[in-house]
Amino acid sequence: MSKLVQTATLLFTLLTCSIAAAELSDDSLDALMQLSGINQQVTEIPGGVVAGMQQSMQQGGHISQEQLDKIEQAILKSFQPAAISGTIADELKDALSEAEAQQLLKWFRSDLGKKITAAEEEASSPAAYQEKLAHAESLLSDEQRVQLARRIDRLVNLTDMTLEFQKGTAIAVFNSLSRAMNPGQPVNSEAFEAKLAENEAAMQQQIEQMVTLSILYNYRNISMDEMNKYMAFLEQPATRKFNDNAINGMKLAIHRSVNEMADSMAMIFTAKK
């Protein structure tokens, strides 16, 4: 009888381990992408890039309305939400087990999980940007929430990701313009990258301030007790794996989009009038 018990125990253990390590199902992956708010937030990326580029171009000097229109078209073509979501989903598919997905889905389906995701989705719209700036002084005056926002930033690496995105975009545009203006010649971006490195500390400080403000704005209607529960969720291993791989997927997708956009912009700026 003891031999039978041992065999049954061994089989149960093997079965349990097999279930725990089961491959993430497509249904669970789709639910994660939807309930976490990734799909909704990704749809806002093209509009956000367009708004940022228009503001930058208008402040930076002379540019025709025709060029602005072409740049907008290039951005919308390069930053396809479906492609970005697909790349993120691929990263999550390779990284998460079904058991980890179910743990995450339990949070996202909870009342607090839904409340926080809804707040993040609302704050990701381009229309929310001006409101965030309008309330910057009052939001940044709450030191307790500022410290919490910076903990979230460090945990999810938002400042580092944004800095990497801005540097990558600048280098991609520089390289594309250089190739377009000097066809057949090798691109030498060392001096340009050195200039970026000189300004990196200031860039990082500005980005960190804006990321802090964004986090404060995102969760302005979430109580501190609820935020502490959210922090506990963010610190769980499955959540960190989820966030790390979602960000990796985002970086891959954005890198491709930026390179495509940069090539299009180079053709726009070097086109003969």
Side-chain angles (χ1 to χ4, degrees):
M1 180 63 71
S2 66
K3 184 69 173 177
L4 180 60
V5 170
Q6 289 176 10
T7 302
T9 302
L10 176 60
L11 288 172
F12 176 76
T13 301
L14 290 173
L15 179 61
T16 303
C17 291
S18 175
I19 292 172
E23 183 179 342
L24 177 62
S25 70
D26 289 340
D27 286 345
S28 295
L29 177 59
D30 290 344
L32 274 177
M33 293 290 293
Q34 188 63 35
L35 295 176
S36 67
I38 289 176
N39 284 343
Q40 174 60 34
Q41 291 178 51
V42 163
T43 64
E44 305 286 356
I45 289 176
V49 177
V50 167
M53 190 64 69
Q54 287 177 338
Q55 183 179 18
S56 175
M57 292 297 178
Q58 288 167 352
Q59 292 175 349
H62 303 291
I63 184 169
S64 69
Q65 186 59 50
E66 181 184 1
Q67 286 176 317
L68 270 176
D69 292 340
K70 288 181 178 179
I71 289 170
E72 180 175 343
Q73 292 169 13
I75 291 172
L76 294 177
K77 181 181 176 183
S78 302
F79 289 84
Q80 293 284 335
I84 297 172
S85 292
T87 302
I88 296 171
D90 289 342
E91 290 292 307
L92 294 176
K93 180 78 172 177
D94 291 340
L96 295 175
S97 69
E98 181 66 21
E100 289 169 328
Q102 291 304 317
Q103 180 182 340
L104 292 163
L105 288 170
K106 183 179 180 181
W107 162 266
F108 289 125
R109 286 170 174 149
S110 69
D111 290 342
L112 182 54
K114 290 177 182 177
K115 183 177 182 179
I116 285 177
T117 299
E120 291 168 344
E121 290 179 348
E122 179 189 351
S124 69
S125 68
Y129 181 74
Q130 293 301 325
E131 185 181 0
K132 175 173 60 181
L133 294 181
H135 292 86
E137 186 175 353
S138 61
L139 289 168
L140 290 167
S141 67
D142 190 330
E143 188 59 32
Q144 185 181 17
R145 283 185 175 267
V146 167
Q147 292 303 318
L148 185 62
R150 288 178 177 158
R151 282 177 60 198
I152 293 174
D153 181 12
R154 289 191 294 269
L155 194 61
V156 189
N157 295 319
L158 289 174
T159 291
D160 292 342
M161 185 184 76
T162 307
L163 178 62
E164 185 177 327
F165 169 71
Q166 289 197 3
K167 288 167 57 182
T169 300
I171 292 169
V173 171
F174 175 86
N175 289 342
S176 293
L177 282 171
S178 296
R179 286 193 297 269
M181 296 174 71
N182 304 289
Q185 297 183 21
V187 174
N188 184 357
S189 61
E190 289 183 6
F192 181 74
E193 292 185 36
K195 189 66 177 176
L196 280 179
E198 278 181 31
N199 298 324
E200 185 168 325
M203 287 172 61
Q204 185 169 20
Q205 186 176 15
Q206 292 173 356
I207 291 168
E208 184 179 22
Q209 184 82 343
M210 183 54 68
V211 166
T212 299
L213 176 59
S214 295
I215 294 172
L216 290 169
Y217 178 79
N218 290 359
Y219 308 120
R220 65 196 183 283
N221 296 322
I222 309 295
S223 72
M224 281 303 297
D225 181 59
E226 290 171 326
M227 286 303 298
N228 286 328
K229 291 176 182 176
Y230 181 45
M231 279 300 304
F233 167 71
L234 290 177
E235 289 168 346
Q236 292 175 8
T239 311
R240 299 193 70 162
K241 186 187 288 190
F242 172 76
N243 284 331
D244 288 347
N245 283 278
I247 287 172
N248 284 340
M250 178 75 77
K251 286 160 67 174
L252 283 172
I254 294 297
H255 178 71
R256 293 179 192 138
S257 298
V258 164
N259 284 333
E260 183 179 342
M261 177 195 71
D263 289 341
S264 297
M265 287 179 64
M267 289 190 292
I268 292 168
F269 287 125
T270 57
K272 292 183 179 179
K273 297 182 180 178

